[in-house]
Amino acid sequence: MTGASTLAWMTLLLPLASAAVITLGTLKNHRLSANLSIGAILGAFVCSLLLFLSASSGESNLTWIAIGDFNATIGVKLDRLSALMLLVVTGVGALIHWYSQGYMEGDRSYARYFASLSLFSFSMLGIVLATNLMQMFIFWELVGVSSYLLIGFWHERPAAADACKKAFITNRLGDFGFLIGIIMVWAAAGSLNFGLLEKAMQEQPELLGASAGLIGLLLFCGAMGKSAQFPLHVWLPDAMEGPTPVSALIHAATMVAAGVFMLCRIFFLLSPDALSIIAWIGGATALMAAVIALQQDDIKRILAYSTLSQLGYMVMAVGLHAPGAAMFHLTTHAFFKAMLFLGAGSVIHALHHEQNIWKMGGLREKMPATYRTFLIGTLALCGVPPLSGFFSKDGILAAAADSHHGNPVLFGIGILAAVLTTLYMGRLVLVAFHGAHRSEQASHAKESPSVMTVPLWILLVPTLVAGFFPVEHMINQTLGLHHAGGHAAAPLAMAFSVLALMIGGSVAWSHYAGAGTDPLTQRFSGLSTLLRNRLWMDEIFSGMIAITHEAVSKLAGWVDQKILRGAIMGLFQHGVDILGRGLRLVQSGSLQTYAFLFVVGVALVIYIVLGGTH
C-alpha cells in the first residue's frame, strides 16, 4: 500500500500547502494565488482518481502523541467509501475553484478567498481520510473554522458576519454531543480506530453495553450540525450570505455531506434504536425543508432548503439501514446541486447580484447555456428518468418501502417531499427563466463568461450518467452489508416516484407558468407568511434562549453579586478588616506601651514555664 498511501497523503497535503503559500507569500499576487489554489485541488483530484481506479484498501498511520499506554495517531484510510468521497470532493471542488475565477474577479480579497478555499478543502479531505474518531473530530472542527471564514468572507456586511457566527455556534452545539459520544466510545472500547472498533464490534456485538443507543445518538449530533438536520438546520439557509461558489462548495459535496459520510463510516456503531430515531429526524427534515422552500423568493435560499431536504433523504436512508443508498444520493446530488448553485451564481452575476426570482424572468433567451444546464439539474433533482437523481432517490424510497427495515410512514413522507421538490423547483425555473422580464437587470442580462459556463457543462456529464454506476452496491459491499437496500420494493418506489413527479410538475405549471405574482401568497396569505418566515424557527429558538440561557445568566449574575461577592467575599473582607484593626491597636508608637507589653509577655512565658514544671 506504499504507493497508494503516498497518493493519499499527497491528496490531503496539497491543499494545505496551497493555503500556507498563499497566506504567507502571495496574498498581493491575485492571479498567482488563484493558480496555486486551483493547481493544488486539481493535483488532489488526479491523485484521488488514481486511488479510485486502483481500488486500494488499508491504512497508513503516523504516531502523533505517545504518553504511556496512550497512543494517538493521524493517518489515511483507504477503501471504496473514502475513495468515492475523495473523488467527489476534489472533482466538484476543482470545478468550483475554476468557476470562482470569474465570479470573484475584481474582489479586493481575491487571494484570501482562494487561501480559504484551500484550507476548507484540506479540512474536508482530512475528514474523509481519517483513520480514527479523534482525527476525524480535529478535521471536523477545522471544517467549522474554514466554513466560518468563507461564509463570513464579506464580513463588512452585517448579514454575512451574523451568518458565519450563527453557523459556527450552531455547529458547536452538535459537535459537543459528538465529542461526548467519542469519549464514551473510548471508555467502552479502549480504541477510536475505525478498523479496530469494527473488528471489536464483530467479535463482541454488546461491546458498548446499555449505552449503545445513547452513544449512537451523541455521535449523530455531529451529523445534525454539519448536515443541518432538525433542529440544528437553522444555520444553513443563512450561509447563503457568503459568495455563491462558497454556497456551492458547502451545499454540494463537502461540508454538509460530511455528516452523511460520517454516519456511513461509523455505521457499525449505530444501534437499531439509534438508527430508528435517525431515520425519523431525516424524514422530518426532508419534509419540513421542502415545505419552507415553496415560499422562498431568494434563488439561493430555495436551493439551500432544497439541500436541507435532500440531506434529510440521505440521513433517512442511513436510519433505514441503507447507507449505500445514502452515499449514492450524496454522490449524484453533489454533481447536480453544484451545477444548480453555480447556475444560480451565473444568474446573480449577470443581474448584478439580484437574487429575487420575481425580479428575473425571461432569462431563457438571455442566458441559454445557464438555462439549459440549470434545467437539466432541476430535472435531475426532481428525479426525472433517466437522469442520475432518479436512480439515487429511488434507492432511498425503495429502502423506505422495504418490508424488513422500511417504514410506510417514512415512505409516504419521502413521496410527499418528492412532490414538493418538483413543485418548488418548477416554480423557480418558470419564474426566473420563463415569462417576461420583471426588472431592468433581467432585460439587459447577458450570458456569463466561459470561465463560469464551462464548469456547468462539465458537471452536466455526471448529472446525466452517474446514476448508471453501481455506487450503492459498491458501498454496501465495503460496509459488509451485502443484502442492504429495498431492491424488492424498487418497482413500487419507481411508480410512486414518477407519480410524484407528474403531480408536482402539473401543479407548478398550472400555478406559475406566466404568473406575475405568487398565486399561493394571495390564496393562502397566512400559510405563506408562515413559510416565508421559515416556520418562525429562528424566533422560537431566540425565545427559548431568552427563557433558558438568559435566565441562567441572570441567576449566575445574582449568585455572583449576592453570594460570592456579597456574602462569602464580604465575610473575608470584613474578617480581614477586623483583624487589621485589632493589630493596628498594638502598633501605637508609644515606648511605654511596648515596654509594658514586653514585661507582660515575659511574665506569661515565665508563668507557663514554671507552671509546666509543677
Side-chain angles (χ1 to χ4, degrees), residues 184-193 196-197 207:
M184 292 182 69
V185 170
W186 169 264
S191 175
L192 295 177
N193 182 275
L196 296 178
L197 284 172
L207 179 65

Side-chain angles (χ1 to χ4, degrees), residues 516-573:
T517 58
D518 196 328
L520 294 183
T521 303
Q522 300 171 356
R523 296 179 187 178
F524 309 100
S525 59
L527 178 62
S528 175
T529 301
L530 179 65
L531 298 183
R532 287 178 186 278
N533 288 281
R534 300 176 282 182
L535 305 180
W536 303 106
M537 286 288 183
D538 287 319
E539 289 75 11
I540 292 171
F541 290 159
S542 296
M544 292 174 62
I545 290 172
I547 294 172
T548 56
H549 182 270
E550 295 297 330
V552 171
S553 299
K554 290 179 180 178
L555 177 61
W558 182 85
V559 170
D560 180 54
Q561 292 289 335
K562 302 297 183 182
I563 297 179
L564 295 179
R565 296 188 185 184
I568 299 176
M569 295 306 296
L571 179 62
F572 280 106
Q573 177 184 348

Side-chain angles (χ1 to χ4, degrees), residues 90-446:
T90 57
V92 176
L95 292 173
I96 292 171
H97 277 64
W98 182 267
Y99 174 98
S100 295
Q101 294 179 98
Y103 191 89
M104 298 301 293
E105 186 66 41
D107 193 282
R108 61 188 178 86
S109 298
Y110 190 85
R112 175 168 65 86
Y113 171 82
F114 278 97
S116 299
L117 280 187
S118 291
L119 178 63
F120 186 96
S121 301
F122 164 70
S123 305
M124 186 63 204
L125 292 171
I127 292 176
V128 175
L129 290 169
T131 61
N132 59 78
L133 279 167
M134 177 181 286
Q135 179 183 346
M136 177 175 279
F137 185 78
I138 292 170
F139 282 99
W140 200 265
E141 296 307 298
L142 280 174
V143 166
V145 171
S146 50
S147 65
Y148 172 86
L149 297 174
L150 287 169
I151 295 170
F153 179 76
W154 289 320
H155 53 81
E156 63 276 5
R157 301 180 184 178
D162 291 340
C164 68
K165 288 185 289 186
K166 186 176 183 179
F168 191 79
I169 294 171
T170 304
N171 273 274
R172 298 295 73 71
L173 295 175
D175 293 352
F176 178 73
F178 189 25
L179 179 59
I180 298 299
I182 291 173
I183 293 172
M184 292 182 69
V185 170
W186 169 264
S191 175
L192 295 177
N193 182 275
F194 295 125
L196 296 178
L197 284 172
E198 186 171 11
K199 183 178 179 181
M201 290 293 292
Q202 291 172 351
E203 296 173 353
Q204 189 180 348
E206 302 299 324
L207 179 65
L208 301 181
S211 301
L214 177 61
I215 290 174
L217 291 177
L218 286 170
L219 294 174
F220 174 61
C221 284
M224 287 177 68
K226 283 288 185 291
S227 292
Q229 298 299 287
F230 176 85
L232 300 182
H233 67 282
V234 291
W235 69 269
L236 192 59
D238 290 339
M240 297 298 97
E241 295 297 334
T244 300
V246 169
S247 303
L249 191 67
I250 290 176
H251 288 72
T254 53
M255 181 175 176
V256 295
V260 178
F261 171 81
M262 183 267 285
L263 290 176
C264 294
R265 175 61 78 199
I266 65 166
F267 186 77
F268 58 88
L269 289 174
L270 302 176
S271 69
D273 291 339
L275 287 171
S276 177
I277 295 174
I278 289 170
W280 281 102
I281 291 177
T285 304
L287 182 58
M288 176 199 67
V291 169
I292 295 175
L294 290 173
Q295 285 295 286
Q296 300 301 307
D297 294 336
D298 186 311
I299 187 171
K300 288 172 67 176
R301 283 189 181 273
I302 296 171
L303 295 178
Y305 278 106
S306 171
T307 299
L308 274 176
S309 184
Q310 299 306 306
L311 288 168
Y313 271 115
M314 299 174 208
V315 171
M316 183 176 75
V318 174
L320 293 171
H321 298 256
M327 284 300 300
F328 188 20
H329 196 51
L330 183 155
T331 303
T332 61
H333 177 264
F335 297 121
F336 57 71
K337 185 52 67 69
M339 186 166 66
L340 287 170
F341 265 108
L342 296 184
S346 177
V347 170
I348 294 168
H349 183 268
L351 271 62
H352 306 290
H353 296 280
E354 177 59 63
Q355 297 183 197
N356 190 327
I357 60 173
W358 294 101
K359 294 183 180 179
M360 298 178 185
L363 298 179
R364 177 177 56 174
E365 296 83 11
K366 297 288 186 178
M367 308 179 69
T370 300
Y371 169 70
R372 290 166 187 165
T373 53
F374 197 96
L375 177 62
I376 294 174
T378 297
L379 297 177
L381 174 61
C382 295
V384 173
L387 302 177
S388 59
F390 168 75
F391 297 101
S392 58
K393 185 181 289 186
D394 274 15
I396 296 175
L397 294 175
D402 184 56
S403 59
H404 187 46
H405 292 297
N407 184 292
V409 177
L410 288 175
F411 177 72
I413 289 175
I415 295 298
L416 180 55
V419 173
L420 296 174
T421 299
T422 307
L423 177 54
Y424 67 69
M425 288 305 297
R427 171 181 180 262
L428 169 55
V429 172
L430 289 170
V431 172
F433 291 94
H434 291 254
H437 305 305
R438 298 185 181 87
S439 67
E440 189 71 18
Q441 296 97 317
S443 63
H444 293 93
K446 295 181 180 179

